[in-house]
Amino acid sequence: MTLDSHDVPLYIVSNGENFSTPGDKNAIENGGETKPQRDTWSRGTEFLFSCIAMSVGLGNLWRFPHIAVKNGGGAFVIPYIIVLAIIGIPGYFLEMTMGQFSSRGTIKVYDCVPAMRGVGIGQVIASIFVSTYYSSIMGLILKYLSNSVFSVVLPWATCEKEWENCYNASSDAISGLNKTTSSALYFEKSVYNMTSGLNEGIGHLNWNLVGYLAISWTLVFLILSKGIKSSGKVAYFLAIFPYIMMLILLAKSLTLDGAWDGVRQFFKPDFGKMRDPEVWYDAVTQVFFSLNVYFANVIMYSSYNNFRHKIHRDAAIVSILDTFTSLLAGTCVFAVLGHLAKIKNIENIIDVAGGGPGIAFVAYPEAITKLKSYAKFFSSLFFLMLYLLGIGSNVAMASCIMTEIKDHFNSVKTWQAALMVAIFGTLAGSIYYTQ
């Protein structure tokens, strides 16, 4: 058996099919059928920045700070780094190796071991479910961004007449602590229009949010309309610009009264927590969510690499940068929460926001309203940063689904696959917008 290119290894699968890596520029003949050449990244940096945009996302900003404080503050960083070194980085490198060597998507990469194809199928299914939920969050962020930019006054800064037991989030007074802040009621009543419970049924769709969801998927479609040839160019912006905005927010946050109290609570170590198995469990799940590893996306991106690309370097860069971003974002978030806790005279800062969406859509917007004349600017900056962080991850998940469509249906064009994913994502994501 000979190769068309003497320096490119041949990958042989169990069904007797053989194919070259991206280094072979020729089409592949198999049983008289010519298979189209697989796309490759125009530059190695496009792959690197795409991985950064994928891995650095919403989990760094709202999940890591809450998990860290819950599990011992600065002490949580120790088990997190240990898990990152033992499981995270090796797993990232393994998936990169699988994708780059085979030049195949998440399911077809297991053609060499057909019994393992179920793993790839499961990873793609997981990416589909996560993508629909993730995109629904993008619709929420886009609504808040739109309100920040186009509203004369931030709509969550003051109470509406029909909101009972409410106090204005923009107020510096602490006399209303027995009431609910207007930022929380805005999220529950104006954004989601929540009912009292499932006994009232799932309610009707919030078409306003569905519209924002459709806009988000339209943007994803435009980014992916030419596959990695277009998404690779956008990756530079999606990976770099959020850091600029994060540094601006950090610089402002650290000047607020009580900010350093929040930062100290974020980094204050409680080494006794390290004996709790739940801390290590949270460290493992955070590594998985934060790096986006074992979700098929890394295999997909690396399958478009040149065969001799130095993936060990990229795996280390992305993993280290992801951890640094989590610490940077945590500092930024807890500086603002420390300021909010100071105003409300609350000792335990985590009680101000809880975790997850409560940080992004309730506590942080409330704190921003107290910046008065600068509130609209910093609100726009914060939600634009969130949106770009989320779009980078969602583009990766959508690319993973597109790759599987194209791998199994060669006649489907790139823009057609992108359009199918965008339409499905809009319809499936709408489920999350019922009352």
Side-chain angles (χ1 to χ4, degrees), residues 245-430:
M245 292 183 285
M246 196 179 300
L247 291 174
I248 294 174
L249 288 170
L250 177 65
K252 177 61 179 177
S253 300
L254 293 177
T255 64
L256 301 175
D257 186 28
W260 288 100
D261 294 333
V263 174
R264 276 192 292 270
Q265 185 161 337
F266 176 55
F267 285 104
K268 182 180 178 181
D270 181 2
F271 293 105
K273 286 274 191 178
M274 293 179 61
R275 295 191 294 267
D276 187 353
E278 186 177 348
V279 173
W280 293 88
Y281 169 79
D282 285 341
V284 172
T285 55
Q286 179 59 30
V287 166
F288 284 10
F289 277 109
S290 187
L291 278 181
N292 213 335
V293 71
Y294 305 116
F295 275 99
N297 303 321
V298 180
I299 294 177
M300 176 272 303
Y301 268 162
S302 59
S303 70
Y304 296 109
N305 270 343
N306 183 284
F307 185 76
R308 301 189 184 282
H309 184 73
K310 297 178 181 179
I311 50 176
H312 60 281
R313 174 197 60 196
D314 291 347
I317 290 174
V318 174
S319 302
I320 294 172
L321 185 61
D322 182 77
T323 303
F324 168 77
T325 306
S326 294
L327 297 175
L328 181 66
T331 303
C332 183
V333 168
F334 268 81
V336 172
L337 295 183
H339 172 63
L340 193 58
K342 180 82 171 181
I343 293 174
K344 291 186 173 184
N345 197 24
I346 297 177
E347 183 176 351
N348 189 3
I349 294 175
I350 201 64
D351 292 337
V352 174
I359 292 178
F361 298 115
V362 177
Y364 210 100
E366 179 183 358
I368 288 176
T369 62
K370 301 183 188 302
L371 299 179
K372 307 305 181 186
S373 57
Y374 299 101
K376 276 176 57 65
F377 171 76
F378 283 104
S379 180
S380 302
L381 203 64
F382 174 71
F383 286 110
L384 179 58
M385 177 188 69
L386 271 186
Y387 194 72
L388 294 178
L389 288 173
I391 280 290
S393 300
N394 210 30
V395 164
M397 289 182 278
S399 297
C400 178
I401 304 169
M402 280 177 56
T403 298
E404 295 309 318
I405 294 174
K406 292 194 65 182
D407 277 356
H408 290 82
F409 305 97
N410 293 329
S411 61
V412 177
K413 297 180 180 179
T414 300
W415 71 268
Q416 293 173 332
L419 182 61
M420 285 189 285
V421 172
I423 293 174
F424 172 79
T426 303
L427 295 176
S430 300

Side-chain angles (χ1 to χ4, degrees), residues 118-371:
V119 175
I121 295 172
Q123 287 180 309
V124 173
I125 292 174
S127 291
I128 292 173
F129 280 108
V130 173
S131 179
T132 58
Y133 171 70
Y134 215 86
S135 62
S136 70
I137 298 177
M138 301 310 302
L140 284 176
I141 296 173
L142 188 57
K143 178 178 175 62
Y144 272 80
L145 176 59
S146 175
N147 288 334
S148 301
V149 174
F150 299 110
S151 298
V152 177
V153 179
L154 294 177
W156 56 84
T158 56
C159 299
E160 298 289 341
K161 293 181 180 180
E162 61 271 19
W163 296 349
E164 299 179 357
N165 200 34
C166 172
Y167 76 95
N168 294 335
S170 57
S171 173
D172 291 331
I174 62 173
S175 58
L177 287 180
N178 58 335
K179 298 181 180 180
T180 305
T181 177
S182 58
S183 62
L185 291 174
Y186 174 79
F187 179 72
E188 295 175 5
K189 298 183 179 297
S190 293
V191 176
Y192 259 119
N193 194 21
M194 295 180 181
T195 58
S196 59
L198 286 176
N199 58 310
E200 298 183 25
I202 63 172
H204 57 76
L205 280 176
N206 187 324
W207 291 105
N208 181 258
L209 290 178
V210 172
Y212 285 113
L213 176 67
I215 294 173
S216 295
W217 274 111
T218 300
L219 181 58
V220 172
F221 165 72
L222 294 175
I223 293 174
L224 294 174
S225 59
K226 294 183 180 179
I228 62 169
K229 297 299 181 183
S230 54
S231 67
K233 304 296 186 295
V234 180
Y236 292 106
F237 176 75
L238 294 178
I240 296 174
F241 198 63
Y243 284 100
I244 298 174
M245 292 183 285
M246 196 179 300
L247 291 174
I248 294 174
L249 288 170
L250 177 65
K252 177 61 179 177
S253 300
L254 293 177
T255 64
L256 301 175
D257 186 28
W260 288 100
D261 294 333
V263 174
R264 276 192 292 270
Q265 185 161 337
F266 176 55
F267 285 104
K268 182 180 178 181
D270 181 2
F271 293 105
K273 286 274 191 178
M274 293 179 61
R275 295 191 294 267
D276 187 353
E278 186 177 348
V279 173
W280 293 88
Y281 169 79
D282 285 341
V284 172
T285 55
Q286 179 59 30
V287 166
F288 284 10
F289 277 109
S290 187
L291 278 181
N292 213 335
V293 71
Y294 305 116
F295 275 99
N297 303 321
V298 180
I299 294 177
M300 176 272 303
Y301 268 162
S302 59
S303 70
Y304 296 109
N305 270 343
N306 183 284
F307 185 76
R308 301 189 184 282
H309 184 73
K310 297 178 181 179
I311 50 176
H312 60 281
R313 174 197 60 196
D314 291 347
I317 290 174
V318 174
S319 302
I320 294 172
L321 185 61
D322 182 77
T323 303
F324 168 77
T325 306
S326 294
L327 297 175
L328 181 66
T331 303
C332 183
V333 168
F334 268 81
V336 172
L337 295 183
H339 172 63
L340 193 58
K342 180 82 171 181
I343 293 174
K344 291 186 173 184
N345 197 24
I346 297 177
E347 183 176 351
N348 189 3
I349 294 175
I350 201 64
D351 292 337
V352 174
I359 292 178
F361 298 115
V362 177
Y364 210 100
E366 179 183 358
I368 288 176
T369 62
K370 301 183 188 302
L371 299 179

Side-chain angles (χ1 to χ4, degrees), residues 71-84:
N71 292 296
F76 176 74
V77 177
I78 297 174
Y80 178 81
I81 291 178
I82 292 174
V83 171
L84 180 71

Side-chain angles (χ1 to χ4, degrees), residues 43-95:
R43 294 180 178 85
T45 50
E46 290 184 4
F47 168 69
L48 175 60
F49 280 96
S50 294
C51 287
I52 293 173
M54 171 188 66
S55 296
V56 177
L58 300 179
N60 300 81
L61 192 69
W62 72 30
R63 193 176 191 275
F64 183 86
H66 170 70
I67 294 295
V69 173
K70 170 190 169 186
N71 292 296
F76 176 74
V77 177
I78 297 174
Y80 178 81
I81 291 178
I82 292 174
V83 171
L84 180 71
I86 296 176
I87 300 176
I89 297 179
Y92 211 92
F93 180 69
L94 173 63
E95 290 198 315

